[in-house]
Amino acid sequence: MTDFFQDIRYAFRILLKRPAFTAVALIALALGIGANSAIFSVVYNVLLRPLPYSEPDRLAMVWGKFDKEGIPRNWISEPELFDLKEQNQSFEDLAAYSTTGVNLTGNGNPEWVPTAVVSASLFDILRVNAERGRTFAAQEDEAGKNRVVLLSQALWKRRFGADPNVVGSTVSLDGESLTVIGVMPPGFSFPDEVDMWLPLGLDRARLNSRGSHYLQMIGRLKQGVSFDQARDDLARIAGNLSQQFPDNYREASGWGLYAVPLHEQTVGSVRPALLVLLGAVGFVLLIACANVANLLLARASAREKEIAIRAALGARRARIVRQLMTESIVLALVGGIMGIALAFLSLKAFTASGPRNIPRLADIQLNGIVLAFSFLVSIITGIVFGLAPAIHVSRPNLQGSLKDGGRTSGSGSGRLRSVLVVSEVALALVLLVGAGLMMRSFSRLTEVKLGYHTDNVLTARLSLPQARYRENALVATYYKRLLESLRDAPGVESAGIVSQLPLSGSGSSGTTMVEDTSVDEGLLRRNGYAYIEADRRSVSPGYFAAMGIPLLNGRLLSESDNETAPAVVVVDTGFAKRFWPNSDAVGKRISVGGGPQGINWGTIVGVVEHVKHYDPSKEGREQVYFSYLQRPLRTMYVAIHAAGSAPLMLAGPLTEKVRGLDGDQPVYEISTMDRLLSASVAQPRLNLMLLGFFAALALLLASVGIYGVMAYSVSQRTHEIGIRMALGAESKHVIKLIVGQGFALVIAGVVIGLAGSFLLARLLSSFSGLLYGVTATDSRTFAAVSILIIGVSIFASYIPARKATRVDPIIALRYE
């Protein structure tokens, strides 16, 4: 133990005696270990840490699907909910929920609160109890008995001032009075980002149709039941329902049911990007290790006499290696401490500004697991970069080293350093190619034609309460009066409303048939009519102008297309080309509803540009637009095209006009289309920024490594260079000699790196959503990155080469 502490004290003394070497090594290690600690913290908290529920591995999401209709994941209808609860043999219980929002009034300004309408069994399935009060009782999940509400901890503190007497009080939601029965514990928010829970309260005698899918479903598997067994059980139920209700679940639609683990459902979309980033920081750490190993090898030549003296005095080789490894590990641990500090600061910035679509973002922190990982990485790093130099230095040439003025060849050290540099270049090239592909992909993504304008457009959302606006005529009148007041407001160029706004995350679709029986026979058919699943929007006439969606054929909707006029629709180019690629869609009729009397048909009066609704990287479904007067909906988005370049300045006037029509009506989700577009590409932008930063860091470290090797080579060849210059060699010949040596190392690294880059590129292309519009073998990216790293490396070799030409031949000939 005494020897151990003696080694540590000596290691600190050695490091402090060489502050320049120590500072460079610590910076490289801090960056490498810090990057690994930060990304591992994200990976652990998002991907690896269990969900905060009892036995979370037994929780599953249950989905429907219509594969042949292009719907691989569909919600559940009310009848299907009860079918699954009664017929399944795999789940302890099942619960349904739907996310919505309510207008909270009284006790302050009106506020829209994100809300979940849930089965009473949801909290039992999650094994979660209220912190104050209780959760829903089974009878409160029945129609007419569901006049109760649960509050989130955050809403209780923010809106109700953490009132300890809130349980039992009443609140006004959408104009109706409900009783608060409980407050949920801190941090609980299932589904994500909701602040209230209401009972689902379905009436078994008045369920909606089997085709009305709006519920999400979660269940807890029985003890001992696997997910494979649950999937087989759901497939059995789907088969039974297909036989029992053939009109609803046609074989041609590819109908089915399946289960997904809740953890996979929560984090599956971000796993590929996080794993790629974890691999990238691993490369950065390897490059940092190679750099520090090169520094240690360079320092080894200065310590050869010291090591030789210790060996001559009887020190065993194992004792020397132990001392040198202690120095490396101490260096790595100090670098690890600095890296943890960097990781802490990085995570603070990441959680504050990271994309909102990263699950569990607020939970990311440096916990004990992450600190243990950082400590382990530091130890392993110290061993990795210290072992080879320690072994090399522990075999000194006693005669050469102890001879006064003796020159050591360092040939073994030079070969090892060259191998390390080649490895650094190869790893840096792989990261740079990955970053280059991401950059090209993001550039393509930002150049996508959206089908609408995003500049100078203000958006907001309204949700009229059903208690006050029960009749469609009242809903239509409210929005008509609002649009009339907005059009006359200063700074408003055009204004409109839409039920689902692009890039807002909202969406609605339905089976849409065409009356024309001459369309492509290859399309799916129902009752003899061809159909597709199309997106549906209810809009006002001014919406297309406000969003800059161009009319390509026919006319737009007008205020005369009201509830007394014949049903009309506008379709997008995707819909028109799907059914009538060689003829005009205007004048054709499509289904706009149905009932006992048969199908209700609406006439296509215009064709507009297809818009990228959900994601700029995806085409999305075909789109159908209805008149808001013929299909009034209570929840609508307002889109205002501002006359100036500051659309947010209209947020105040919009709120005033909404409140002028109804003082209890809140305006929420106020944003601009530019912000929504930016948020929609936040994840690929973050991937690009992080991978680009790690690639730039790798290039910097590799350049430092090349510079170090060349500088060391120059110092070892000072005598040779002096002889060459004394015999008449010109500076350019010396520069060519040294740069050529560095160039050979770089080319070797580039060749190896290109092979690794092809593997990385194929990996990136195999992950959905990481690359857009770029192939895995994009030659421009590979060529540009290769030229970049060769150019930087040549510059790094040129600096010591230039220095070598300034050597005085007389002094060089006396070297050692």
Side-chain angles (χ1 to χ4, degrees):
M1 186 60 70
T2 302
D3 288 345
F4 174 72
F5 287 111
Q6 181 181 353
D7 287 347
I8 292 177
R9 287 194 299 271
Y10 185 74
F12 275 108
R13 190 160 62 245
I14 287 293
L15 295 177
L16 291 174
K17 284 178 62 178
R18 297 170 176 82
F21 160 83
T22 303
V24 173
L26 286 178
I27 290 173
L29 291 172
L31 291 172
I33 296 174
N36 275 268
S37 298
I39 296 300
F40 177 78
S41 179
V42 176
V43 169
Y44 172 76
N45 286 283
V46 174
L47 300 184
L48 304 180
R49 188 165 58 87
L51 296 173
Y53 310 113
S54 175
E55 299 181 284
D57 56 315
R58 292 169 55 201
L59 295 173
M61 295 292 295
V62 178
W63 295 98
K65 62 178 179 178
F66 292 89
D67 282 337
K68 295 180 181 179
E69 295 184 5
I71 310 174
R73 176 169 295 177
N74 200 40
W75 293 344
I76 304 297
S77 67
E78 292 174 6
E80 291 164 358
L81 164 63
F82 291 103
D83 290 336
L84 285 163
K85 287 175 72 70
E86 293 165 0
Q87 297 183 31
N88 93 86
Q89 301 172 0
S90 304
F91 295 91
E92 285 184 2
D93 203 351
L94 291 163
Y97 64 92
S98 176
T99 55
T100 180
V102 295
N103 294 338
L104 173 61
T105 55
N107 192 30
N109 292 327
E111 177 183 356
W112 182 85
V113 180
T115 305
V117 185
V118 306
S119 299
S121 58
L122 173 70
F123 304 101
D124 291 334
I125 289 173
L126 296 176
R127 306 288 196 261
V128 176
N129 296 315
E131 183 183 65
R132 293 174 175 269
R134 61 176 177 83
T135 57
F136 301 135
Q139 62 269 22
E140 291 168 338
D141 202 10
E142 299 175 10
K145 301 178 181 179
N146 55 338
R147 313 297 297 169
V148 292
V149 62
L150 287 167
L151 308 179
S152 72
Q153 186 85 189
L155 181 66
W156 173 57
K157 292 179 178 179
R158 174 175 54 80
R159 181 79 183 196
F160 299 92
D163 180 7
N165 301 315
V166 71
V167 175
S169 65
T170 59
V171 294
S172 179
L173 303 179
D174 282 347
E176 300 184 4
S177 180
L178 276 72
T179 301
V180 177
I181 63 168
V183 178
M184 299 306 292
F188 177 77
S189 180
F190 183 92
D192 287 340
E193 298 182 357
V194 299
D195 280 320
M196 279 187 179
W197 293 264
L198 300 172
L200 193 55
L202 298 180
D203 186 349
R204 291 289 298 265
R206 302 175 62 184
L207 298 178
N208 69 355
S209 72
R210 289 188 170 271
S212 180
H213 299 99
Y214 73 97
L215 296 171
Q216 298 183 67
M217 180 173 284
I218 184 173
R220 179 176 286 272
L221 294 176
K222 294 178 179 178
Q223 287 284 359
V225 175
S226 68
F227 272 93
D228 287 338
Q229 291 172 314
R231 293 184 184 105
D232 292 340
D233 190 25
L234 291 172
R236 175 187 61 81
I237 296 172
N240 292 341
L241 294 179
S242 296
Q243 294 179 1
Q244 191 175 357
F245 305 100
D247 291 339
N248 297 97
Y249 311 115
R250 297 174 308 282
E251 183 178 354
S253 67
W255 151 256
L257 293 165
Y258 65 99
V260 178
L262 180 60
H263 188 273
E264 175 65 23
Q265 180 75 41
T266 304
V267 306
S269 62
V270 298
R271 178 181 286 111
L274 292 182
L275 293 180
V276 168
L277 292 174
L278 186 62
V281 294
F283 278 19
V284 171
L285 184 59
L286 287 176
I287 295 173
C289 288
N291 240 334
V292 177
N294 262 328
L295 289 172
L296 290 175
L297 286 170
R299 195 183 68 168
S301 60
R303 298 185 66 182
E304 283 190 355
K305 182 169 291 187
E306 169 203 339
I307 300 301
I309 292 174
R310 294 179 65 181
L313 293 176
R316 292 176 300 171
R317 185 183 179 191
R319 181 69 180 84
I320 295 173
V321 170
R322 191 182 78 182
Q323 172 61 53
L324 296 175
M325 288 301 298
T326 301
E327 295 176 19
S328 299
I329 292 173
V330 166
L331 184 65
L333 287 174
V334 175
I337 294 172
M338 295 171 60
I340 290 173
L342 287 176
F344 176 79
L345 297 175
S346 301
L347 289 176
K348 283 287 186 182
F350 182 79
T351 54
S353 59
R356 298 297 99 186
N357 62 340
I358 294 182
R360 312 171 79 181
L361 181 66
D363 298 333
I364 297 174
Q365 57 183 333
L366 288 175
N367 52 27
I369 298 293
V370 177
L371 293 177
F373 169 82
S374 301
F375 175 78
L376 182 62
V377 166
S378 299
I379 295 293
I380 294 175
T381 298
I383 294 172
V384 168
F385 72 70
L387 188 59
I391 292 175
H392 173 78
V393 176
S394 65
R395 294 181 296 187
N397 180 351
L398 295 182
Q399 183 177 1
S401 298
L402 294 176
K403 184 187 299 181
D404 188 31
R407 187 186 304 119
T408 58
S409 65
S411 58
S413 171
R415 284 192 295 271
L416 179 57
R417 299 190 73 199
S418 296
V419 170
L420 291 173
V421 166
V422 169
S423 302
E424 289 184 62
V425 171
L427 292 172
L429 181 70
V430 171
L431 288 184
L432 284 168
V433 167
L437 290 173
M438 289 278 194
M439 185 178 299
R440 291 262 292 159
S441 173
F442 189 74
S443 176
R444 293 285 181 87
L445 194 59
T446 57
E447 296 170 355
V448 166
K449 288 183 62 178
L450 299 173
Y452 50 88
H453 299 155
T454 61
D455 54 311
N456 301 332
V457 178
L458 176 73
T459 65
R461 198 175 188 183
L462 305 179
S463 185
L464 303 180
Q466 184 176 2
R468 187 174 299 178
Y469 299 90
R470 291 188 182 277
E471 299 177 7
N472 287 342
L474 293 176
V475 176
T477 299
Y478 178 90
Y479 282 118
K480 187 174 183 178
R481 291 174 60 194
L482 176 62
L483 290 173
E484 288 172 352
S485 65
L486 286 174
R487 281 193 287 266
D488 297 333
V492 175
E493 188 170 299
S494 55
I497 57 173
V498 63
S499 54
Q500 281 81 31
L501 183 73
L503 307 181
S504 66
S506 62
S508 177
S509 66
T511 300
T512 306
M513 295 180 286
V514 298
E515 189 182 33
D516 186 356
T517 58
S518 66
V519 297
D520 185 1
E521 290 293 332
L523 293 169
L524 294 172
R525 294 183 179 271
R526 175 182 292 181
N527 300 327
Y529 299 108
Y531 75 93
I532 59 171
E533 183 78 9
D535 282 350
R536 295 175 172 179
R537 314 281 178 259
S538 182
V539 303
S540 70
Y543 170 72
F544 299 103
M547 293 289 290
I549 301 174
L551 174 67
L552 304 180
N553 192 16
R555 69 170 177 88
L556 296 175
L557 301 171
S558 69
E559 293 292 337
S560 62
D561 297 318
N562 53 34
E563 66 277 8
T564 62
V568 294
V569 295
V570 167
V571 300
D572 75 333
T573 52
F575 193 98
K577 291 177 181 177
R578 182 75 175 270
F579 290 102
W580 303 283
N582 301 314
S583 59
D584 191 355
V586 174
K588 303 295 194 301
R589 299 206 307 171
I590 67 173
S591 62
V592 295
Q597 286 72 37
I599 302 170
N600 295 328
W601 299 101
T603 303
I604 299 174
V605 296
V607 178
V608 296
E609 185 70 67
H610 174 77
V611 306
K612 297 289 185 73
H613 183 87
Y614 299 99
D615 186 334
S617 66
K618 297 179 175 62
E619 283 298 316
R621 297 189 186 99
E622 296 82 357
Q623 295 142 6
V624 178
Y625 298 91
F626 302 91
S627 168
Y628 81 109
L629 297 174
Q630 295 183 344
R631 184 171 289 197
L633 299 175
R634 293 182 182 86
T635 299
M636 300 290 278
Y637 288 88
V638 179
I640 302 174
H641 192 276
S645 58
L648 282 173
M649 297 292 290
L650 296 175
L654 169 62
T655 303
E656 291 177 6
K657 292 186 179 300
V658 169
R659 298 277 178 84
L661 295 174
D662 186 340
D664 288 335
Q665 179 59 49
V667 182
Y668 59 101
E669 294 185 18
I670 298 175
S671 182
T672 65
M673 283 306 301
D674 280 331
R675 288 185 179 179
L676 291 178
L677 176 60
S678 178
S680 71
V681 296
Q683 184 64 54
R685 185 193 302 113
L686 178 67
N687 297 340
L688 169 61
M689 290 174 60
L690 290 178
L691 191 58
F693 171 76
F694 297 142
L697 182 59
L699 179 61
L700 175 62
L701 291 174
S703 301
V704 171
I706 293 170
Y707 170 82
V709 167
M710 293 299 99
Y712 175 77
S713 175
V714 168
S715 66
Q716 292 292 96
R717 301 175 69 180
T718 301
H719 190 74
E720 172 197 342
I721 293 171
I723 294 175
R724 288 176 178 272
M725 297 186 69
L727 294 176
E730 298 181 10
S731 298
K732 62 181 181 181
H733 296 135
V734 174
I735 292 175
K736 182 179 179 181
L737 175 69
I738 297 171
V739 171
Q741 180 184 353
F743 183 76
L745 297 178
V746 172
I747 291 299
V750 167
V751 171
I752 298 172
L754 284 175
S757 298
F758 277 107
L759 296 177
L760 173 67
R762 292 191 177 278
L763 178 65
L764 291 177
S765 63
S766 68
F767 289 139
S768 175
L770 286 186
L771 294 181
Y772 174 78
V774 179
T775 64
T777 55
D778 185 60
S779 57
R780 293 174 59 181
T781 301
F782 280 81
V785 168
S786 299
I787 293 171
L788 172 65
I789 201 165
I790 289 172
V792 170
S793 302
I794 289 175
F795 180 74
S797 301
Y798 176 80
I799 297 174
R802 185 67 179 171
K803 183 179 179 181
T805 61
R806 300 194 180 103
V807 174
D808 188 334
I810 303 296
I811 298 175
L813 291 172
R814 297 175 182 167
Y815 184 67
E816 292 189 349

